[in-house]
Amino acid sequence: MQFGKTKWLKMSQLRYQELTAKQKKLLMIGGCVVGIALLWPRQDFELDKRIPVAIDLSHLTAPAADPLPQSLTMNAGPSFDQIVENGDTLSKLFAEAGVDQQTMYKVLEADLNVLVLDTLMPGNRIEFWVNDQGQLNKLKLRFSAAKQAIFTRASDGSYDVKIQEIKGIWQQHVVTGDIHGSFYLSAEKAGLSAAQIQHIESLLKEKINFSRDLRAGDKFSVVLSKQYVEGEATGESHILGIEIASGKQVYSAYRFTDGNFYDEHGHSLTRAFQRLPLAHMYRISSKFNPHRLHPVTGKIAPHNGVDFAVPIGTQVLATGDGIVSLVVPHHKYAGTYVVINNGGKYRTRFLHLSKILVKKGQHVSRGQVIALSGNTGRTTGPHLHYEFLINGHPVNPMTAKIPMENGLNHAERTQFAQLVKSRKLMMTLS
Ligand SMILES: [Zn+2]
């Protein structure tokens, strides 16, 4: 599916018109249909609907022969500055910027530590600083007002990468609606994004059968926290509270300060992870090590995951419930890889695969076979590289504190009760 920027803008305008019309209707009828906060940003976008730029290494063009006109320093503006469009490829953008293929590979090599290049979407900005010798001094990817990645050339010609994140301001919004038709469509109509709806469905999936239990006229209310930087919505949001009232039943979920979700009695809704992405333990050929000496390049490079020495074709399992957020058929160094968003602050990545068995946007359950291991990308032999990220930062998957099916302790329970009270109030008032 291709989803261009223009189409997306139209969608967003449409949604806004639809909303405004509804708000008018609400004023006239005085009904209780839509309670979207009035602060609903017009230029808000949905990360989940943006399509990654296909990285096509087979269509590389020769480096541009023309010398660049002016001498550029690191402080001057970029020599090439572009908003990524639908259909752009990384190789095309590098060629247009006058940067050769070898340099692009060096950038991809640095990207292996962060894997941000495959998350570049139409609407993102890419800036190149190329000096008059045609060397790429700096490359900047702007994902949103809150997040950018900067690649800078080191003295040996390799690249270092830094992710810059701005905290911004998080504002709370309440979205309410009635159920008519499916929950998905009703929630989408009320202004929730696909990712938010999928998150709600996966949090409450053991309490509600979304295709059977809900009736027309049932109500839902969701408290969201949305990020703004300099008044601009970045597209980042968290769900803080959910209530779905169906007949006499109320189903709820609240995000606690630990980033995990609980029902209103403090029982965990985040299912425990399994430690291994495999059916049984295999030899670990390379441990998680933020200061590893790389076996191929001989450089100090973090090893952000654990390598299991598994033969090609070994079944790779989802370690927790989640939604497939990225499927990459070919990264020069990471090979074929898949990323699972495990809800809230958790993400897992599986690299060097031979085959991916799931699709982007698909729900997966803990223990489900999602791929077959392989030997793709830069490797010294067949293995599975497994990463576990908490708030975007890699942790040791073998030792990290990951959610268990325990409830809250006494002190946390008191704090949680306060939090439920205030969020309930927000949902009632809206
Ligand atoms: Zn590895």
Side-chain angles (χ1 to χ4, degrees), residues 91-106:
S91 50
K92 177 173 166 260
L93 292 164
F94 270 71
E96 281 171 9
V99 179
D100 64 28
Q101 175 182 332
Q102 263 188 327
T103 306
M104 187 179 88
Y105 286 165
K106 284 180 181 162

Side-chain angles (χ1 to χ4, degrees), residues 233-248:
T234 65
E236 291 293 332
S237 70
H238 295 313
I239 291 171
L240 298 180
I242 306 159
E243 265 191 12
I244 300 178
S246 175
K248 282 177 192 158

Side-chain angles (χ1 to χ4, degrees), residues 323-391:
I323 289 149
V324 180
S325 60
L326 194 60
V327 167
V328 176
H330 178 75
H331 182 289
K332 185 167 169 65
Y333 301 103
T336 301
Y337 73 93
V338 63
V339 183
I340 310 280
N341 186 342
N342 298 101
K345 56 183 179 176
Y346 305 105
R347 254 190 309 150
T348 43
R349 290 202 280 232
F350 307 82
L351 275 55
H352 311 303
L353 305 167
S354 59
K355 195 171 188 193
I356 296 175
L357 304 171
V358 288
K359 288 197 174 72
K360 192 181 167 189
Q362 186 181 329
H363 280 270
V364 295
S365 312
R366 182 183 63 190
Q368 183 177 337
V369 180
I370 52 168
L372 300 178
S373 71
N375 192 21
T376 55
R378 184 175 61 193
T379 59
T380 49
H383 72 279
L384 171 68
H385 171 107
Y386 170 53
E387 288 182 13
F388 195 99
L389 297 105
I390 301 182
N391 291 324

Side-chain angles (χ1 to χ4, degrees), residues 80-251:
F80 183 79
D81 178 351
Q82 189 127 318
I83 303 295
V84 176
E85 283 174 12
N86 208 16
D88 277 349
T89 64
L90 205 58
S91 50
K92 177 173 166 260
L93 292 164
F94 270 71
E96 281 171 9
V99 179
D100 64 28
Q101 175 182 332
Q102 263 188 327
T103 306
M104 187 179 88
Y105 286 165
K106 284 180 181 162
V107 170
L108 274 162
E109 200 171 341
D111 179 57
L112 181 59
N113 297 327
V114 288
L115 293 175
V116 290
L117 283 167
D118 294 312
T119 65
L120 204 60
M121 307 281 174
N124 293 164
R125 185 172 189 172
I126 187 163
E127 294 167 279
F128 293 80
W129 279 258
V130 182
N131 67 16
D132 38 16
Q133 282 94 54
Q135 288 170 325
L136 177 67
N137 281 337
K138 187 164 84 164
L139 171 72
K140 197 193 267 187
L141 310 175
R142 189 184 184 273
F143 296 98
S144 73
K147 185 182 174 188
Q148 51 187 29
I150 298 166
F151 294 82
T152 44
R153 199 166 66 95
S155 50
D156 66 353
S158 69
Y159 287 83
D160 297 319
V161 59
K162 248 196 199 119
I163 307 290
Q164 288 188 342
E165 278 169 304
I166 299 169
K167 247 186 135 188
I169 292 166
W170 289 80
Q171 265 185 349
Q172 297 188 1
H173 298 257
V174 182
V175 177
T176 61
D178 279 4
I179 291 166
H180 292 286
S182 72
F183 172 72
Y184 192 98
L185 289 175
S186 312
E188 197 177 43
K189 219 171 162 187
L192 294 174
S193 71
Q196 288 160 350
I197 301 166
Q198 283 175 327
H199 194 190
I200 293 169
E201 288 181 343
S202 93
L203 281 170
L204 293 173
K205 70 168 188 273
E206 270 157 41
K207 310 230 167 203
I208 307 177
N209 179 332
F210 279 88
S211 55
R212 274 214 319 258
D213 297 346
L214 301 175
R215 299 275 172 272
D218 286 350
K219 294 182 192 312
F220 60 90
S221 189
V222 179
V223 182
L224 294 175
S225 181
K226 290 186 171 195
Q227 188 188 38
Y228 295 86
V229 171
E230 287 164 14
E232 184 190 334
T234 65
E236 291 293 332
S237 70
H238 295 313
I239 291 171
L240 298 180
I242 306 159
E243 265 191 12
I244 300 178
S246 175
K248 282 177 192 158
Q249 281 273 24
V250 177
Y251 305 97

